Amino acid sequence: LVGKAIKMISDWKNDLVEPEQAMETLDDPEDMIFATLYALYERNLRAYNAVDFDDLIVLPTKILRENRELRDKWQNRIRYLLVDEYQDTNTAQYEMIKYLVGPQGRFTVVGDDDQSIYAWRHADIRNILSFQKDYPEARTVALEENYRSTGAILEAAKHLISANRMRIPKDLRTQKNGGHPVVVHEVYN
């Protein structure tokens, strides 16, 4: 129960949902208890002038959203920004990036929608899937040639990722034909 409460609070924070907003959207009694705990938790953090790990992204994002002067200062100061592993950004990170780059959108993102593995840590695959829509002036460069893997490994990978419902189509290829067959081992842990 404690683990579920911690996860829900962290989810809300990373989705930039305030305790009051969380309470307004719930009807499940257990979830209402978690939203109440969230409000108490936030109040205690402020009372002790403390932050938690999620706040390291959430608080600067809120400040940039609410303070136009500060946002303009940082947008003028940051000429170019590189964001790696963009497929694993969460809502708060996405918003922070948007506030930092501003309307000029002078930034580069690197990521692969087929390698998004951090949904359990609030990563939102929609951030990379909607990148071209969010930034229509951006140029996309697809890196489709794999220089490390053999054909056997790449074929197995292509077979697995073909089941992904939300993905950007790409033509993965390698010049290392053949290779040892892929073997699946089921282990206890």
Side-chain angles (χ1 to χ4, degrees):
L1 201 58
V2 171
K4 185 176 179 183
I6 291 169
K7 181 176 180 351
M8 286 188 76
I9 290 169
S10 184
D11 286 349
W12 282 321
K13 289 180 99 161
N14 283 283
D15 285 337
L16 300 174
V17 174
E18 299 291 333
E20 304 75 33
Q21 293 171 295
M23 288 183 202
E24 291 170 3
T25 61
L26 300 172
D27 51 7
D28 179 83
E30 184 178 273
D31 290 348
M32 286 296 292
I33 292 170
F34 295 144
T36 303
L37 286 173
Y38 179 26
L40 291 169
Y41 176 66
E42 286 296 296
R43 191 172 70 215
N44 282 311
L45 281 174
R46 301 305 158 251
Y48 288 101
N49 200 25
V51 296
D52 64 16
F53 186 75
D54 294 323
D55 287 333
L56 297 176
I57 296 290
V58 171
L59 292 177
T61 301
K62 288 179 181 177
I63 291 168
L64 288 169
R65 177 177 49 196
E66 296 162 5
N67 188 325
R68 176 76 191 176
E69 184 179 326
L70 187 66
R71 185 171 62 242
D72 287 345
K73 174 185 172 185
W74 280 102
Q75 286 176 4
N76 290 322
R77 185 171 184 180
I78 296 174
R79 296 188 55 209
Y80 301 99
L81 184 69
L82 170 65
V83 182
D84 196 10
E85 303 294 349
Y86 193 76
Q87 76 276 1
D88 290 323
T89 58
N90 63 35
T91 301
Q93 292 165 331
Y94 170 83
E95 291 290 320
M96 177 185 270
I97 293 163
K98 184 175 78 171
Y99 293 132
L100 289 174
V101 300
Q104 300 89 359
R106 294 178 301 211
F107 70 123
T108 299
V109 303
V110 179
D112 182 350
D113 54 307
D114 289 323
Q115 293 186 39
S116 181
I117 59 171
Y118 289 106
W120 61 276
R121 281 183 40 198
H122 322 291
D124 189 344
I125 189 69
R126 294 174 298 186
N127 293 344
I128 196 166
L129 294 175
S130 61
F131 182 80
Q132 202 64 54
K133 181 180 69 99
D134 294 342
Y135 301 96
E137 300 298 316
R139 184 170 59 117
T140 300
V141 178
L143 303 177
E144 298 174 323
E145 185 169 354
N146 186 305
Y147 295 96
R148 291 187 215 152
S149 300
T150 62
I153 292 173
L154 202 57
E155 285 305 313
K158 285 170 30 176
H159 179 73
L160 284 173
I161 63 177
S162 69
N164 293 349
R165 290 173 299 205
M166 295 177 19
R167 66 184 298 264
I168 300 167
K170 53 188 96 51
D171 179 30
L172 300 176
R173 61 192 180 282
T174 184
Q175 291 186 21
K176 293 182 177 183
N177 295 324
H180 296 289
V182 174
V183 178
V184 176
H185 291 281
E186 186 174 335
V187 296
Y188 176 70
N189 65 25

